[in-house]
Amino acid sequence: MKITMAHGSGGRATSQLINDVFKNANSNPVLDMMEDAAVVAGSGRIAVTTDSFVITPLFFKGGDIGRLAVCGTVNDLLMRGAIPKYITSAYIIEEGADTDDLRRIAESMAETAREAGVIVVAGDTKVTEGSGNVYINTTGVGFVPEDTDIKSSDCKLGDALIVSGDLGEHHAAIMSRRMGIENNIKSDCAPLGEMVMNMIDAGIELHAMRDITRGGLGTVLNELASASGCGFELNEADIPVTPEVEGFARILGLNIMHMGNEGKLAAVVAERDAERALGIIKNSRYGAAAAIIGRVTGGEGVVMNTRLGGKRVITELFGEGLPRIC
Ligand code: MG
């Protein structure tokens, strides 16, 4: 069935849409009350984040907009050391969207929420004129353990820089799909709770953490460097990237350092904990290809020692990059 403006009326068509598509997928005691606001348990330091997802296409190798809408928000909570608990999901649906697609998206969102350990406690649907696009906004709430304080301004001289796996996969997968290029590259879209919680439980001295999304690792590291008033030195040879993504980037003239992921993080860790943290990430889900790729320096900006023995300054991404990647 196609969505029409009647599905946005607030009347019977709206409640049918909600019941048929969204409520079944996300049923839980809080949401099922269908009240104007969810009342949930919680105390202490609360982390809150919000993100909107406008990716095109809605379905791609390795994921879809529903999985992405959970992962993006949950991962942002995790980067502050928060344990994700609750999520909201607001859909803006254009006239002409297909209800089967919406059902697939809602089910994928529910499955990813289960994997990430969050429950969907509030939701909204709106219908607008348009051409069948779907947009999702998610807000996430998490709880920060008592003695955890991870922030971008805490990188310290000598800290190790770890990335949790191969760079550029989400970017390359979306671009391949849009350009009709056949390959085996899949989006890495994934919730990173297991590796983060394993590090926190093991008492790793985590100074800063960021998920590597739009703008790529180059942008993330420049942001960390300016927040902490430090520099980074990286070794190109240590940066994990699959041969297929590397080849794809070379052919299209893309810089791996500016390609987005959706299931990778950069962690800045006290040097004495670096090897232990690396081992924990490697043994956690989605972390098998993790590597220590550099360290924090007293300089400014981000400098990479290239494979050929030179040095290259890595800037943040300028310009638009790849539009509608998340
Ligand atoms: Mg982030």
Side-chain angles (χ1 to χ4, degrees):
M1 189 178 64
K2 297 288 179 201
I3 295 291
T4 65
M5 291 305 286
H7 290 105
S9 65
R12 193 188 301 170
T14 306
S15 53
Q16 263 169 5
L17 173 67
I18 291 171
N19 285 324
D20 289 358
V21 173
F22 298 109
K23 209 164 149 243
N24 284 341
N26 287 296
S27 175
N28 65 60
V30 181
L31 196 63
D32 293 352
M33 286 174 77
M34 298 292 278
E35 291 285 356
D36 282 352
V39 175
V40 294
S43 64
R45 288 191 301 150
I46 297 167
V48 182
T49 189
T50 192
D51 208 344
S52 299
F53 298 85
V54 300
I55 191 164
T56 179
L58 297 174
F59 302 93
F60 45 86
K61 256 188 215 159
D64 55 75
I65 191 171
R67 180 168 174 81
L68 193 64
V70 175
C71 294
T73 289
V74 158
N75 289 343
D76 277 345
L77 292 172
L78 288 162
M79 297 306 106
R80 298 300 309 279
I83 301 167
K85 280 285 181 212
Y86 308 118
I87 196 166
T88 67
S89 92
Y91 283 70
I92 296 172
I93 304 163
E94 287 182 358
E95 209 178 0
D98 194 285
T99 47
D100 288 336
D101 285 350
L102 290 172
R103 203 169 285 118
R104 265 175 80 195
I105 292 166
E107 275 161 12
S108 170
M109 198 164 180
E111 191 190 315
T112 312
R114 275 193 293 277
E115 181 188 351
V118 292
I119 61 169
V120 179
V121 293
D124 181 47
T125 55
K126 291 279 156 42
V127 177
T128 69
E129 299 89 348
S131 50
N133 285 321
V134 177
Y135 310 105
I136 304 176
N137 173 274
T138 49
T139 293
V141 174
F143 297 97
V144 186
E146 192 74 12
D147 46 3
T148 301
D149 187 21
I150 300 166
K151 53 183 186 292
S152 299
S153 55
D154 276 359
C155 302
K156 302 217 168 37
L157 185 64
D159 283 353
L161 172 65
I162 303 174
V163 294
S164 65
D166 298 314
L167 297 187
E169 289 165 327
H170 179 71
H171 194 121
I174 299 305
M175 214 162 162
S176 302
R177 175 65 205 281
R178 287 202 209 146
M179 297 173 76
I181 300 171
E182 278 300 320
N183 56 34
N184 296 314
I185 301 171
K186 281 202 303 202
S187 166
D188 56 335
C189 181
L192 300 175
E194 187 180 312
M195 65 177 71
V196 172
M197 288 308 143
N198 286 347
M199 281 195 285
I200 289 173
D201 290 347
I204 297 293
E205 198 178 317
L206 274 161
H207 291 163
M209 246 187 324
R210 295 289 295 273
D211 56 344
I212 306 166
T213 54
R214 204 170 35 160
L217 180 63
T219 302
V220 164
L221 294 182
N222 275 282
E223 286 170 1
L224 289 176
S226 78
S228 290
C230 67
F232 284 93
E233 182 182 20
L234 320 180
N235 299 310
E236 186 176 25
D238 296 332
I239 295 173
V241 54
T242 62
E244 193 158 23
V245 169
E246 194 170 29
F248 180 87
R250 195 180 324 110
I251 289 166
L252 291 171
L254 303 169
N255 185 346
I256 294 284
M257 297 298 288
H258 292 150
M259 290 172 69
N261 287 75
E262 284 292 342
K264 299 287 152 51
L265 60 78
V268 178
V269 176
E271 199 201 345
R272 64 174 177 284
D273 281 346
E275 287 297 335
R276 204 158 61 92
L278 178 66
I280 289 168
I281 295 175
K282 277 178 166 291
N283 284 316
S284 302
R285 195 160 189 208
Y286 307 118
I292 298 172
I293 64 159
R295 63 189 186 91
V296 175
T297 65
E300 269 182 23
V302 181
V303 178
M304 184 159 82
N305 300 316
T306 68
R307 284 202 193 92
L308 298 173
K311 286 192 188 296
R312 187 154 81 230
V313 173
I314 307 292
T315 61
E316 62 202 308
L317 174 68
F318 293 106
E320 72 176 15
L322 184 61
R324 295 184 64 181
I325 190 176
C326 56

